[in-house]
Amino acid sequence: MNVTGNTITLSAARHADLLVQGGIVMTPGGAERIDVACSQGRIVALGDLRGTWSAETTLDAKGLHVLPGVIDSQVHFREPGLMHKENLEAGTRGAVLGGVTAIFEMPNTTPLTLSAADLQAKLDAAQGRAWCDHAFYIGGSAVNAEQLAELENLPGCAGVKVFMGSSFGDLLADDDDVLRRILHHGRRRLAVHAEDEARLRERRHIALESADVRQHPVWRDVDSALMATERIVRLAAECGRRLHVLHVSTAEEMMFLAARKHRVTVEVTPHHLTLQAPECYERLGSLAQMNPPVREQRHQDALWQAIRDGVVDVIGSDHAPHTLQEKAKPYPQSPSGMTGVQTLLPVMLDHVHAGRLGLQRLVDLTSAGPARIFGIEGKGRIALGYDADFSIVDLRAQRVIHNDWIASVSGWTPYDGQAVTGWPIHTVVRGCCVVRDETLAGEPKGAVVRFLESWSNETRGESDA
Ligand code: DOR
């Protein structure tokens, strides 16, 4: 380590692979006008590096904010099996165009991701095709509960995901005994989609009889979500397991979870923070149909309050594409889900512009938060020795989001036509500038995300010596 004036470096060489110059850098200590030097994919120097460092590539970040790379810990990229909706190449391309540098992908593909072979098939498919770093969830179910302790520690596994209520695909674990078996096998934080399957079945007639998408939040009501959240939190406490409750959508759950934050972490999504019932269903029809549903204003207000109160740990997009043709089916045959990985950052920067949250809090929710709760190695902050992942944004840039900007195979966004202030300009993944001036650059070189909890001799890289 070398210290010169206000500059600390990990290298005496003074020649970097990449130099990010003149930007306002969001460090753990706040916003600082400093330069960042990166070598071999890591941050090697921070400070005023003008005149003292040279680099193979220099990125001029004047007038821009340099955020730690955004980590989207909930996406559905549909590969294998459902590639007419999405695939790993297009999904990760959308991610980096939207300023996202790492994703965790969900197990409700075809086949489901339930075994080591299923996970390996996804890792193989991502090799050389993924534009950003990636890891994959293993689905927790009755068929693999006893193997989960081993499976969750495989390289490239983000953890275990459980669907308590059916959403899309066949992955379901709704019975207390199965949930206990899942909770007892493994130590990592368990991610859960909390909607109560029995209540959803009991009330499905509401959707069927109405054939009206405005009834979606009536069918999948507050109690459907709250009952499942209460049940899984109780079971997790009984089994001594940490939980991560995905896409929390109700004021009632937030109140319940606020008192249990010592063990339970909380995700909210941009669509629950941005769209509102009933207006979104009237304007967008089934394009706004999502599980759990987008709800009325009072719930959205509670989600924002929970962001201000520190109850929310993470913002994940729940990018869940279906084709426009599939979405055009009459409700409730229309599948639930919308794209989101590419619009996560633009939509949230627009909320920053509107004063709904500060930039530092956004960084906490999209980088530091995922790194902390999933125990990600070397990501989530701009600090010496960390991966050189950056989402470099222009907070004043005004853009209109359009479907033709969306890289997803499904080709649409619920925000089509929406003007936003704040936009990703350059995306850097481990020192490679994969989006430069809003344009894709280079090759897909995404690597597998590493996790501290599954760190072992087997998963150790050479650079760890
Ligand atoms: O609306 C949803 N669609 N919510 C989910 O959690 C999953 C999903 C999907 O995979 O389509």
Coordinates of all heavy atoms in Angstrom, one line a residue, residues 33-64:
R33 N -15.1 14.2 -5.2 CA -14.6 14.5 -6.5 C -13.2 13.9 -6.6 O -12.2 14.5 -6.3 CB -14.6 16.0 -6.8 CG -14.4 16.3 -8.3 CD -14.4 17.8 -8.5 NE -15.8 18.3 -8.2 CZ -16.7 18.3 -9.1 NH1 -16.6 17.8 -10.3 NH2 -17.9 18.8 -8.8
I34 N -13.1 12.6 -7.1 CA -11.8 11.9 -7.1 C -11.8 11.1 -8.4 O -12.8 10.9 -9.1 CB -11.6 11.0 -5.9 CG1 -12.8 10.0 -5.7 CG2 -11.3 11.8 -4.6 CD1 -12.5 9.0 -4.6
D35 N -10.5 10.6 -8.7 CA -10.3 9.7 -9.8 C -10.2 8.3 -9.3 O -9.9 8.1 -8.1 CB -9.0 10.1 -10.5 CG -9.0 11.5 -10.9 OD1 -10.0 12.1 -11.4 OD2 -7.9 12.2 -10.6
V36 N -10.5 7.3 -10.2 CA -10.4 5.9 -9.8 C -9.5 5.2 -10.8 O -9.8 5.2 -12.0 CB -11.8 5.3 -9.7 CG1 -11.7 3.9 -9.1 CG2 -12.8 6.1 -9.0
A37 N -8.5 4.5 -10.3 CA -7.7 3.7 -11.2 C -8.0 2.2 -11.0 O -8.1 1.8 -9.8 CB -6.2 4.0 -10.9
C38 N -8.1 1.5 -12.1 CA -8.4 0.1 -12.0 C -7.4 -0.8 -12.8 O -7.1 -0.4 -13.9 CB -9.8 -0.2 -12.6 SG -11.0 1.1 -12.2
S39 N -7.0 -1.9 -12.2 CA -6.1 -2.8 -12.9 C -6.6 -4.2 -12.6 O -7.0 -4.5 -11.5 CB -4.7 -2.7 -12.4 OG -4.1 -1.6 -13.1
Q40 N -6.5 -5.1 -13.6 CA -6.9 -6.5 -13.5 C -8.3 -6.6 -12.8 O -8.5 -7.5 -12.0 CB -5.9 -7.3 -12.7 CG -4.6 -7.3 -13.5 CD -3.5 -8.1 -12.8 OE1 -3.5 -8.1 -11.6 NE2 -2.6 -8.6 -13.6
G41 N -9.2 -5.7 -13.2 CA -10.6 -5.8 -12.7 C -10.9 -5.2 -11.4 O -12.0 -5.3 -10.9
R42 N -9.8 -4.7 -10.7 CA -10.0 -4.2 -9.3 C -9.7 -2.8 -9.2 O -8.9 -2.2 -10.0 CB -9.2 -5.0 -8.4 CG -9.6 -6.5 -8.4 CD -9.5 -7.1 -7.0 NE -10.0 -8.4 -7.1 CZ -9.6 -9.4 -6.3 NH1 -8.7 -9.2 -5.4 NH2 -10.1 -10.6 -6.4
I43 N -10.1 -2.1 -8.2 CA -9.8 -0.7 -7.9 C -8.4 -0.7 -7.2 O -8.3 -1.3 -6.2 CB -10.9 -0.1 -7.0 CG1 -12.2 -0.1 -7.7 CG2 -10.5 1.3 -6.6 CD1 -13.4 0.3 -6.9
V44 N -7.5 0.0 -7.8 CA -6.1 0.0 -7.2 C -5.7 1.4 -6.7 O -4.7 1.5 -6.0 CB -5.1 -0.5 -8.2 CG1 -5.2 -1.9 -8.5 CG2 -5.1 0.3 -9.5
A45 N -6.4 2.5 -7.1 CA -6.1 3.8 -6.5 C -7.3 4.7 -6.6 O -8.1 4.6 -7.5 CB -5.0 4.4 -7.3
L46 N -7.4 5.5 -5.5 CA -8.5 6.5 -5.4 C -7.9 7.8 -5.0 O -7.0 7.8 -4.2 CB -9.5 6.1 -4.3 CG -10.3 4.8 -4.6 CD1 -10.9 4.3 -3.3 CD2 -11.5 5.1 -5.5
G47 N -8.3 8.9 -5.6 CA -7.8 10.2 -5.2 C -7.6 11.1 -6.4 O -8.1 10.8 -7.5
D48 N -6.8 12.1 -6.2 CA -6.4 13.0 -7.3 C -5.3 12.4 -8.1 O -4.1 12.5 -7.6 CB -6.1 14.4 -6.8 CG -5.8 15.4 -7.9 OD1 -5.8 15.0 -9.1 OD2 -5.5 16.6 -7.6
L49 N -5.6 11.8 -9.2 CA -4.6 11.0 -9.9 C -4.1 11.7 -11.1 O -3.3 11.2 -11.9 CB -5.1 9.6 -10.3 CG -5.8 8.8 -9.2 CD1 -6.3 7.5 -9.7 CD2 -4.8 8.5 -8.0
R50 N -4.5 12.9 -11.3 CA -4.1 13.7 -12.5 C -2.6 13.9 -12.6 O -2.0 14.3 -11.6 CB -4.8 15.1 -12.5 CG -6.1 15.2 -13.1 CD -6.8 16.5 -12.9 NE -6.7 16.8 -11.5 CZ -7.0 18.0 -10.9 NH1 -7.4 19.0 -11.7 NH2 -6.9 18.3 -9.6
G51 N -2.1 13.6 -13.8 CA -0.7 13.8 -14.0 C 0.2 12.8 -13.3 O 1.4 12.7 -13.7
T52 N -0.3 12.0 -12.4 CA 0.5 11.0 -11.8 C 0.3 9.5 -12.3 O 1.1 8.7 -12.1 CB 0.4 11.0 -10.3 OG1 -1.0 10.8 -10.0 CG2 0.9 12.3 -9.7
W53 N -0.9 9.3 -12.9 CA -1.3 8.0 -13.4 C -1.6 8.1 -14.9 O -2.2 9.0 -15.4 CB -2.5 7.5 -12.7 CG -2.3 6.9 -11.3 CD1 -1.9 7.5 -10.2 CD2 -2.3 5.5 -11.1 NE1 -1.7 6.6 -9.2 CE2 -2.0 5.3 -9.7 CE3 -2.5 4.3 -11.8 CZ2 -1.9 4.1 -9.1 CZ3 -2.5 3.1 -11.2 CH2 -2.1 3.0 -9.8
S54 N -1.2 7.0 -15.6 CA -1.6 6.9 -17.0 C -2.5 5.6 -17.0 O -2.5 4.9 -16.1 CB -0.4 6.7 -17.9 OG 0.4 5.7 -17.4
A55 N -3.1 5.4 -18.2 CA -3.9 4.2 -18.3 C -4.1 3.8 -19.8 O -4.0 4.6 -20.7 CB -5.3 4.5 -17.7
E56 N -4.4 2.5 -20.0 CA -4.8 2.1 -21.3 C -6.0 2.8 -21.8 O -6.1 3.2 -23.0 CB -5.0 0.5 -21.3 CG -3.8 -0.3 -20.9 CD -2.7 -0.1 -21.8 OE1 -2.8 -0.3 -23.0 OE2 -1.6 0.2 -21.3
T57 N -7.0 2.9 -20.9 CA -8.3 3.5 -21.3 C -8.6 4.6 -20.2 O -8.5 4.3 -19.0 CB -9.4 2.5 -21.3 OG1 -9.0 1.4 -22.2 CG2 -10.7 3.1 -21.9
T58 N -9.0 5.8 -20.7 CA -9.4 6.8 -19.7 C -10.9 7.1 -20.0 O -11.3 7.3 -21.2 CB -8.5 8.1 -19.9 OG1 -7.2 7.7 -19.6 CG2 -9.0 9.1 -18.9
L59 N -11.6 7.2 -19.0 CA -13.1 7.5 -19.1 C -13.3 8.8 -18.5 O -13.0 9.0 -17.3 CB -13.9 6.4 -18.4 CG -15.3 6.0 -18.8 CD1 -15.3 5.8 -20.3 CD2 -15.7 4.8 -18.1
D60 N -13.7 9.8 -19.3 CA -14.0 11.1 -18.7 C -15.3 11.2 -18.0 O -16.4 11.0 -18.7 CB -13.9 12.1 -19.9 CG -14.1 13.5 -19.4 OD1 -14.2 13.8 -18.2 OD2 -14.3 14.4 -20.3
A61 N -15.3 11.3 -16.7 CA -16.6 11.3 -16.0 C -17.0 12.7 -15.5 O -17.8 12.8 -14.6 CB -16.5 10.3 -14.8
K62 N -16.4 13.7 -16.1 CA -16.7 15.1 -15.7 C -18.2 15.3 -15.8 O -18.9 15.0 -16.8 CB -16.0 16.1 -16.5 CG -14.9 16.8 -15.7 CD -14.2 17.9 -16.5 CE -12.8 17.5 -16.9 NZ -12.4 16.7 -18.0
G63 N -18.8 15.9 -14.7 CA -20.2 16.2 -14.8 C -21.1 14.9 -14.5 O -22.3 15.0 -14.4
L64 N -20.4 13.8 -14.2 CA -21.2 12.5 -14.0 C -20.9 12.0 -12.6 O -20.0 12.4 -11.9 CB -20.7 11.5 -15.0 CG -20.8 11.8 -16.5 CD1 -20.3 10.7 -17.3 CD2 -22.3 12.2 -16.9

